[in-house]
Amino acid sequence: MEKPFAITLDIGSSLANRTGSWRTERPVYVDRMPPCNNACPAGENIQKWLYAAESGDVADNPDDAKGGNGYEAAWRQIMQDNPLPAVMGRVCYHPCESSCNRAEVDEAVGINGVERFLGDLAIERGWRVEPPTAESGRLSGKKVLVVGAGPSGLSAAYHLRRLGHEVEIREAGPMAGGMMRFGIPKYRLPRDILEGEVARILDLGTGSGAIAQPTLKDQIIGTWTYVSVDLVRPDGAREPLFGPNPQGQASFDGNGRYILMTARAGQAKFTSTNRMEGTPEENKAVVQGSIAHFGSYTIDEATKTIAFHIETSTFPNWNGTDQKRPFTITGDQLTWKTPASTGGGTAEVILKRAK
Ligand SMILES: Cc1cc2nc3c(=O)[nH]c(=O)nc-3n(C[C@H](O)[C@H](O)[C@H](O)COP(=O)(O)OP(=O)(O)OC[C@H]3O[C@@H](n4cnc5c(N)ncnc54)[C@H](O)[C@@H]3O)c2cc1C
Ligand code: SF4
């Protein structure tokens, strides 16, 4: 060694003395994004809410809660970034855990499981997020229309409401949730959990803003084709009124006009090939095997009832009458019921949305 022992002022000498490099290198503190936070698609401040969650349930220890700690504080911290923790705690592929540094020591922190626990606790205890009010002076006076109530639209609406904007969200489907509802299976995402978090976001619409769910009128607009028209007897027995696989369609426009036509499949043709010269049997088969009417319609959202005002029908006795049908729309299926005209029971009509 050229330098005297213990003089360690340049790189290498400390290594030669086997004292390490402490004399020639100084630590630099770099404030970087934690890897979990960086990997989280929702951008959650995971370290912060995990820290708060460490205090546990402080419901009986208000002093701990004052410091911004405890389960509720942890949940509120998540809600700064992500309004769907119970959903994400189930369906997220947790890239946060894949990038967790702790895995190099033993195993990754179970972030996803804690997030799910906090999300479930919030639903159970009814924790809510209050949007700005007129009194708070934080309303922007601006209005935003969000199209689509999947997780993206719901999250956008949620953050916009918290920023003080008036938000209206329009959904083409029958219910809010998008692929969370119609794609992800129930065993992975139970629907009561989904409902809990979606309802909390939609409830932010009360007060100065509005997060509108699609009305039944919105949902019924379009064209539907027939699946079945059954007479359901009081004992549950079914009888197809227009035979198996009835043909036909119903169309509802946005201006309150409709047209509806149903016919038995495979109806025998007139032997004469002239519709003005049908035999009595052929004419009877046509009348009994088909029905059509058109006119205007209204929807009663409260009672979930459609009222057809029939202007003209192939059954002229219906002309000028109003007929009410309680109905439901589930996904792409429209179902309405009416008391059977003869023999007791109910006529049940099922249609599906035309693609
Ligand atoms: C079978 C399946 C399983 C999945 N499993 C997982 C999983 O385990 N984990 C995971 O992280 N992701 C999963 N995903 C992906 C996840 O569901 C999607 O990434 C997510 O739903 C996309 O959200 P989004 O809001 O962008 O779109 P969507 O969820 O598709 O929502 C869009 C919404 O907009 C509405 N809309 C469209 N056009 C209009 C219009 N013109 N007017 C009004 N409304 C309109 C639609 O009806 C819909 O409700 C899965 C997806 C599927 C299909
Ligand atoms: S599990 Fe939660 S914290 Fe982890 S990446 Fe997904 S949303 Fe973010």
Side-chain angles (χ1 to χ4, degrees):
M1 187 164 59
E2 291 179 6
K3 288 182 188 289
F5 183 78
I7 296 177
T8 56
L9 297 179
D10 59 1
I11 297 170
S13 59
S14 64
L15 294 178
N17 290 336
R18 302 187 181 209
T19 58
S21 56
W22 58 271
R23 279 296 181 101
T24 55
E25 291 182 15
R26 292 175 189 277
V28 177
Y29 191 88
V30 181
D31 193 3
R32 299 181 67 189
M33 173 79 87
C36 51
N37 187 341
N38 187 41
C40 174
E44 291 179 22
N45 190 335
I46 297 162
Q47 285 176 322
K48 196 164 181 186
W49 64 252
L50 277 178
Y51 179 81
E54 269 181 21
S55 295
D57 198 343
V58 295
D60 302 324
N61 185 5
D63 283 345
D64 219 359
K66 276 182 202 156
N69 292 327
Y71 291 150
E72 184 169 351
W75 177 80
R76 292 196 179 280
Q77 177 59 47
I78 296 177
M79 293 294 284
Q80 295 281 322
D81 302 305
N82 175 13
L84 300 162
V87 170
M88 293 289 261
R90 286 176 168 80
V91 308
C92 182
Y93 304 109
H94 43 76
C96 53
E97 294 182 26
S98 309
S99 64
C100 178
N101 285 341
R102 183 75 208 183
E104 292 167 24
V105 181
D106 41 34
E107 58 184 310
V109 175
I111 300 166
N112 188 241
V114 183
E115 185 182 35
R116 167 178 169 170
F117 165 75
L118 293 171
D120 287 359
L121 197 64
I123 294 172
E124 187 187 313
R125 296 192 180 170
W127 295 337
R128 314 197 71 74
V129 173
E130 295 305 327
T133 56
E135 294 73 44
S136 70
R138 289 176 47 225
L139 294 181
S140 70
K142 293 177 180 164
K143 295 182 179 178
V144 185
L145 176 68
V146 174
V147 179
S152 311
L154 288 168
S155 299
Y158 166 81
H159 288 297
L160 287 161
R161 276 295 286 136
R162 287 175 60 239
L163 288 169
H165 305 305
E166 200 172 315
V167 182
E168 185 175 341
I169 181 162
R170 288 278 160 196
E171 168 55 52
M175 298 169 92
M179 283 304 136
M180 292 189 295
R181 187 185 296 282
F182 296 111
I184 301 177
K186 289 179 189 159
Y187 65 79
R188 187 162 167 81
L189 178 55
R191 295 309 184 244
D192 56 333
I193 297 292
L194 177 64
E195 291 300 346
E197 296 211 313
V198 168
R200 187 169 53 221
I201 297 173
L202 296 177
D203 283 352
L204 290 179
T206 56
S208 57
I211 296 183
Q213 295 195 60
T215 61
L216 287 171
K217 172 84 184 287
D218 290 336
Q219 296 174 51
I220 205 168
I221 289 172
T223 300
W224 304 79
T225 53
Y226 277 78
V227 175
S228 61
V229 186
D230 284 352
L231 178 61
V232 185
R233 297 284 183 204
D235 63 2
R238 284 178 174 267
E239 182 188 322
L241 287 173
F242 293 91
N245 190 24
Q247 303 298 293
Q249 72 179 45
S251 295
F252 299 88
D253 76 10
N255 298 319
R257 305 280 311 166
Y258 82 95
I259 182 162
L260 183 154
M261 155 85 199
T262 329
R264 183 181 284 273
Q267 190 87 281
K269 292 184 176 161
F270 284 18
T271 346
S272 63
T273 68
N274 183 339
R275 77 184 176 88
M276 307 305 284
E277 293 175 6
T279 65
E281 292 71 27
E282 287 169 340
N283 290 337
K284 187 175 177 187
V286 167
V287 168
Q288 292 187 347
S290 64
I291 183 78
H293 51 94
F294 67 85
S296 58
Y297 75 96
T298 53
I299 301 287
D300 185 331
E301 301 281 335
T303 59
K304 298 184 171 60
T305 305
I306 180 169
F308 294 105
H309 175 68
I310 300 175
E311 292 174 1
T312 305
S313 170
T314 52
F315 180 50
N317 300 40
W318 282 357
N319 292 356
T321 62
D322 288 313
Q323 301 200 9
K324 293 187 176 175
R325 309 270 187 269
F327 74 103
T328 54
I329 297 179
T330 314
D332 276 347
Q333 181 172 303
L334 166 63
T335 305
W336 71 63
K337 293 183 179 173
T338 179
S341 46
T342 51
T346 312
E348 183 191 73
V349 179
I350 299 179
L351 306 99
K352 68 172 188 300
R353 198 178 283 282
K355 298 288 181 199

